[in-house]
Amino acid sequence: MPRACDPCSVRKIKCNGRSPCDGCLAADLACSHARKRKKPGPKGPRKQIKDVIQQMQASSEPDIAEPCGSELDTGASGPTPTMSDAPNSPYDNTTISSRIPLSTFNYYLDIYQSNLHVVWPVINCDSIKSRLQDTNDRAVYALAAAICSATIAQLHLTVNGNLHSHHQMALEAESARFLLDYSSHETIDALLTSFFLHVFYSNTGKMTKSTLLLREAIAYSHILGLHQDIFYTNLDTNTTQYYLRIAWILFITDRAHSLQHDLPPTFKLGPTLPELQPQEDAGLSTAFCSLCRLFQSFQDACPPDIRSTGGHHLLGNISTQLRRTHLFPLCENEVQRADLVVTDSWLRVVLWKVAIPYVDSTTDPNDRGLSVSFPMSVAKDLLSKLATLSSCALEAHGPGMVSKLFEVASSVADVILCAPDLADVGSVQVGPREVLYALSSLISSLRTTGHPELLTLLREKMMALDQAGPATLMQIMDVSDEDAQNLVVPH
């Protein structure tokens, strides 16, 4: 069959193959055959297909890595149900890639147990280690890689030697999920893998992917029914409490993430769920339960639909909540103490910002919770409590902690800008400017990533105050030694 000329090919009309052809003669075009003919046949596998082929080929290699004991001192995680108690995983039994040795998994899982189990008490590390012995269990391989990637990123661990980086861990988790066809199966493994990948991407500043993964974890929870009381009907006490912890972790994370990124929350717990109980033997103290109640109190005072319903009729509830003093239990773990005191201050400031536009002449002028100086009192109280905590206790909570501290500091800056008279202080009184400088110094000292733009925004606000040049911006200025004792930041 004669080859079509260039003009006929571009015009997509039939060509008789002559030179010049009838089509070119009729259109008064130069008939040419300069166009290079494309090579017929397949164009080669796409990168995604090549990755799958390589994974399948690697799966036939024997696992030569042996599990080793942990060098860290970690305790047992208690009677947390194993993943075998969860809905069965209908995954195939193809052997997974063993690029990450079991010894590496064990090393990072021990670090998680020692430092982050109090933050996310939903992982039984002993169970994970045991399941990793089975090289056919892809689900636990993906989950372990996700946990390790989140642990490395959250704690800013320095990776030396042959240990895998957090990016490599996350890539392994994603690859294993792809081979599992994870979206076709609704399991607790899949839920937790999505959640810890959300933590990883939140720490690396990829907010869109982080948000999508959190929504994915919430979708799994909805499909499984963790938000409904009927799900817990026939479960024993330990299993019930385990699933409740997962549900509450999702609730807290969803509310915090939504507030910090101006997104609508998507996870709502049923009003008749079983009560979450403190379980010391599971590594879960009353501090976690207090944190859950703190978010529930905020939810009661400020429902998610407040923007559509208006705020005047909610001022009473918000004012009551702001005046309430939350008595937190004595907590030996400073990571949990840091979470409680910062979250309490942050939620108070958020409630105040919701309420303040609706304050008018009919509002009680003696209501300190609805006064313009409220963020200042919250910030001073927060700094006094943080003086007893180390920076590591704050850094364990990742970029979310920076966002909360920024919200408090930013509110103080807004108050000074809008009500400059409040910034006038005596020689022996710590005023708003000094508190603001102390908070900004604290934020800039934390080794966290994910929200570098927040510190820039805070600096811009401080520059607008016309108080200090760039060289002295992050310092506490003109504060006496006696006053400075009230502004000690975590060391």
Side-chain angles (χ1 to χ4, degrees), residues 94-303:
T94 305
T95 305
I96 62 173
S97 168
S98 299
R99 285 186 292 170
I100 298 180
L102 295 180
S103 57
T104 300
F105 277 134
N106 291 343
Y107 176 77
Y108 287 124
L109 287 171
D110 285 339
I111 294 177
Y112 168 90
Q113 181 67 36
S114 298
N115 298 275
L116 296 177
H117 182 71
V118 294
V119 180
W120 306 302
V122 292
I123 295 297
N124 185 328
C125 290
D126 290 338
S127 173
I128 297 292
K129 292 177 183 179
S130 176
R131 290 179 59 194
L132 283 170
Q133 301 287 340
D134 180 5
T135 56
N136 294 328
D137 195 339
R138 285 184 179 176
V140 75
Y141 183 83
L143 175 57
I147 296 169
C148 293
S149 68
T151 299
I152 299 171
Q154 185 89 351
L155 298 177
H156 296 272
L157 301 179
T158 301
V159 179
N160 298 317
N162 296 323
L163 296 179
H164 290 65
S165 70
H166 56 322
H167 289 288
Q168 291 172 313
M169 287 286 188
L171 180 61
E172 280 292 284
E174 296 267 32
S175 298
R177 292 203 324 155
F178 176 78
L179 292 174
L180 282 171
D181 189 20
Y182 69 96
S183 60
S184 301
H185 311 293
E186 308 85 29
T187 66
I188 294 296
D189 281 345
L191 185 160
L192 292 174
T193 301
S194 298
F195 175 79
F196 282 102
L197 284 174
H198 149 74
V199 174
F200 165 76
Y201 284 110
S202 178
N203 274 279
T204 54
K206 297 184 178 180
M207 287 302 110
T208 299
K209 188 159 189 177
S210 171
T211 300
L212 292 174
L213 284 162
L214 177 59
R215 296 293 195 253
E216 186 176 86
I218 291 172
Y220 279 126
S221 179
H222 281 148
I223 294 171
L224 293 170
L226 268 64
H227 62 301
Q228 298 175 327
D229 56 348
I230 192 173
F231 175 84
Y232 304 89
T233 302
N234 298 318
L235 300 179
D236 61 74
T237 301
N238 285 338
T239 306
T240 294
Q241 291 299 314
Y242 171 63
Y243 288 134
L244 282 174
R245 291 200 296 275
I246 295 177
W248 275 102
I249 285 288
L250 288 177
F251 176 81
I252 290 173
T253 306
D254 179 49
R255 289 300 181 272
H257 190 81
S258 299
L259 287 170
Q260 291 165 350
H261 300 285
D262 196 24
L263 298 170
T266 59
F267 192 62
K268 183 178 180 180
L269 296 176
T272 57
L273 286 185
E275 183 179 357
L276 182 66
Q277 300 289 345
Q279 291 184 304
E280 297 292 346
D281 53 352
L284 178 68
S285 71
T286 54
F288 179 74
C289 296
S290 297
L291 184 67
C292 295
R293 286 193 293 269
L294 193 60
F295 272 90
Q296 187 61 60
S297 297
F298 173 83
Q299 171 84 3
D300 295 340
C302 183

